Amino acid sequence: MPFPRILSPRLPRHGPTAPRILAPLAFIITITIIISFATLAHADCECGYLSTINDTTSTSTTSTSNNKNQALFTDLLETDFTRLPSLSLSPQQQQEQEKQRDWAPQAFNLTRQRARGEYGEMFAVENINLVHKKKEGGEEEKERGGVELVVRGGGVVVDGMVPVAELDTERMDLFWGTFRAMMRVSGVRGTCAAFFWYFDDTQEIDMEFLSKDFNATNSSYPVNLVLQSREAAMAGYDASKTGNFVKVYLPFDPSEDFHEYRIDYLPGRVFFYADGVVLAQMDGPAVPSSPGHLILQHWSNGNKYWSGGPPAEDAALVVMYVKAYFNSSLVQRQQDWENRCRDPTAPNAVCRIPDVTPGNSSAADWFFKDHGNMTNNQTISEQSEGLRLKEPWWPAMGWLLLVAGLAVAL
């Protein structure tokens, strides 16, 4: 893909007095451009974010040792739910901050027929809560916070529906990408906790946890990996009747602690991970070919073949963060990348995404958005204090000089 050249700015002439009036202005503009481009030149990650793809079957001669390939993604969306002040759940807040949110709590109902269960499902914003770390005696407790998606239990059924929860990304342009969520699922029997990418009911990539299937006596903790496709739709949305369903047993209890679950969505292939270890990979025509969005969901409808339940007590899925590195389907975002990525071989033009691995979760605390020089031209709305404090002040000072120079010149 060709990169655009930087054109030298030209100043208009307005008769014989133009040089005298515009000389101070030209000087200020030159200084401003130099300052601005100097700042951009020192920005990291301008050409994107590099992910390691652990291909367990690759025979490609371009793959690195241990069959690890590299994929470059141009955009990011990082949300640390432990640091969010709120999710703007009230209607007034939603209207006021509509353009400043990365995630939208969902509110809708499904009848039992639509939900395909013994009960319907009532998705309500009041079932989504932010749980922050609690401090006791100046020390933080071991319990970590995040966003909590609750399925109401104890016989709470409203108009034949179980109260449940869903949280969706506002952006719908997530195409090829690597999508990661640090989660602790509920151990209360009778719910389905899900992290998935979604375009429509025939293009969907799911990781689903059925708490009724967890068995501590034999350390059996399955996760269901699913590609919903046209074939699955023809089978009554039962992907187990297709070749795009795998049940994998985790080497840990997902309800005891937080673990990172990951989906790599690539052209013609999908990889599923837990703590950086490949659980399964799928390819073929069932792999989506459209942009979509990410969904966090926790639900129950009494279907004995899937979610079971409803749960005997309130059950919570807790999510610490979601990190998405992807290629946008929007033409404007693609042009933004072309404009800022002037030399992909330049030092730090490409930034490697740190991976969580078994026994080493230090990468969980890494967010590019905490570093002001690593998110140039990225559309991040839920910024941390770290990013706000580290944003460069030179461009702003340059524009102040430009305004001052213009006032003097005129």
Side-chain angles (χ1 to χ4, degrees):
M1 187 175 292
F3 300 107
R5 292 177 296 173
I6 303 176
L7 300 178
S8 301
R10 293 185 179 181
L11 294 174
R13 295 182 61 88
H14 297 284
T17 60
R20 179 178 60 82
I21 294 178
L22 292 178
L25 180 57
F27 173 75
I28 295 299
I29 289 177
T30 302
I31 294 299
T32 302
I33 291 173
I34 290 173
I35 290 174
S36 299
F37 275 97
T39 301
L40 292 177
H42 288 89
D44 295 333
C45 317
E46 290 182 327
C47 292
Y49 308 89
L50 192 67
S51 178
T52 299
I53 310 298
N54 296 328
D55 188 345
T56 59
T57 64
S58 174
T59 58
S60 170
T61 58
T62 61
S63 64
T64 61
S65 61
N66 299 322
N67 290 330
K68 293 182 179 179
N69 296 298
Q70 309 294 320
L72 181 67
F73 302 112
T74 60
D75 285 57
L76 64 77
L77 187 158
E78 295 178 325
T79 306
D80 182 354
F81 290 108
T82 70
R83 290 188 283 176
L84 289 188
S86 72
L87 281 169
S88 304
L89 299 183
S90 73
Q92 279 188 332
Q93 289 175 319
Q94 288 185 23
Q95 186 173 9
E96 293 172 359
Q97 301 183 20
E98 188 66 29
K99 296 182 180 179
Q100 299 178 5
R101 295 182 303 144
D102 287 336
W103 293 85
Q106 300 299 299
F108 62 94
N109 296 334
L110 293 179
T111 63
R112 61 183 299 270
Q113 291 79 15
R114 288 285 308 279
R116 299 189 290 275
E118 293 298 317
Y119 301 90
E121 298 162 20
M122 176 182 288
F123 290 86
V125 296
E126 57 264 27
N127 296 329
I128 303 174
N129 308 294
L130 284 173
V131 180
H132 294 287
K133 296 178 182 178
K134 296 180 180 179
K135 293 185 177 181
E136 196 172 273
E139 296 292 332
E140 288 188 350
E141 295 180 352
K142 290 184 178 180
E143 180 71 15
R144 288 179 284 184
V147 64
E148 187 178 69
L149 286 78
V150 179
V151 174
R152 300 299 174 187
V156 177
V157 176
V158 180
D159 296 332
M161 296 177 289
V162 180
V164 296
E166 178 177 317
L167 195 59
D168 295 14
T169 59
E170 288 276 14
R171 290 186 63 167
M172 311 289 285
D173 61 318
L174 281 63
F175 215 164
W176 322 124
T178 177
F179 311 118
R180 310 166 184 212
M182 181 67 78
M183 309 191 308
R184 185 186 65 208
V185 305
S186 174
V188 178
R189 292 177 61 84
T191 75
C192 175
F195 169 55
F196 59 106
W197 175 97
Y198 181 85
F199 172 71
D200 63 19
D201 289 344
T202 64
Q203 295 194 61
E204 182 177 335
I205 307 171
D206 293 346
M207 299 187 76
E208 301 193 34
F209 304 80
L210 307 179
S211 58
K212 70 177 178 58
D213 293 343
F214 298 164
N215 189 339
T217 59
N218 62 0
S219 299
S220 177
Y221 304 105
V223 56
N224 299 281
L225 311 175
V226 186
L227 293 185
Q228 292 289 3
S229 61
R230 293 186 182 279
E231 185 181 2
M234 293 176 64
Y237 294 99
D238 185 355
S240 65
K241 296 179 180 179
T242 71
N244 307 303
F245 174 90
V246 179
K247 178 178 286 189
V248 178
Y249 291 84
L250 299 168
F252 52 79
D253 181 350
S255 67
E256 278 194 350
D257 203 354
F258 289 88
H259 296 271
E260 187 186 79
Y261 303 97
R262 170 178 161 190
I263 297 169
D264 286 353
Y265 167 33
L266 304 172
R269 185 169 292 186
V270 173
F271 297 85
F272 300 89
Y273 305 74
D275 289 338
V277 176
V278 176
L279 301 176
Q281 57 190 68
M282 301 180 189
D283 54 24
V287 175
S289 57
S290 302
H293 64 289
L294 293 178
I295 297 177
L296 298 167
Q297 195 179 76
H298 196 201
W299 57 274
S300 179
N301 62 14
N303 185 334
K304 64 180 180 179
Y305 298 109
W306 199 249
S307 73
E313 59 187 89
D314 286 359
L317 163 67
V318 185
V319 184
M320 288 180 61
Y321 66 70
V322 173
K323 300 177 181 180
Y325 309 96
F326 60 98
N327 293 334
S328 173
S329 62
L330 300 177
V331 173
Q332 182 58 57
R333 291 300 304 157
Q334 295 168 9
Q335 291 175 349
D336 289 344
W337 177 80
E338 291 180 359
N339 289 335
R340 72 175 181 266
C341 181
R342 304 184 185 282
D343 181 7
T345 64
N348 302 322
V350 173
C351 293
R352 184 176 298 276
I353 303 168
D355 293 332
V356 168
T357 59
N360 185 358
S361 61
S362 58
D365 296 323
W366 174 266
F367 292 86
F368 287 102
K369 69 175 186 175
D370 286 342
H371 306 271
N373 64 318
M374 291 185 169
T375 53
N376 178 42
N377 193 235
Q378 293 292 345
T379 52
I380 300 173
S381 59
E382 292 166 340
Q383 298 176 340
S384 69
E385 287 297 325
L387 178 56
R388 283 195 291 267
L389 291 174
K390 294 178 182 178
E391 285 177 336
W393 56 272
W394 287 104
M397 181 60 70
W399 286 112
L400 287 174
L401 288 172
L402 175 57
V403 173
L406 180 61
V408 171
L410 298 178

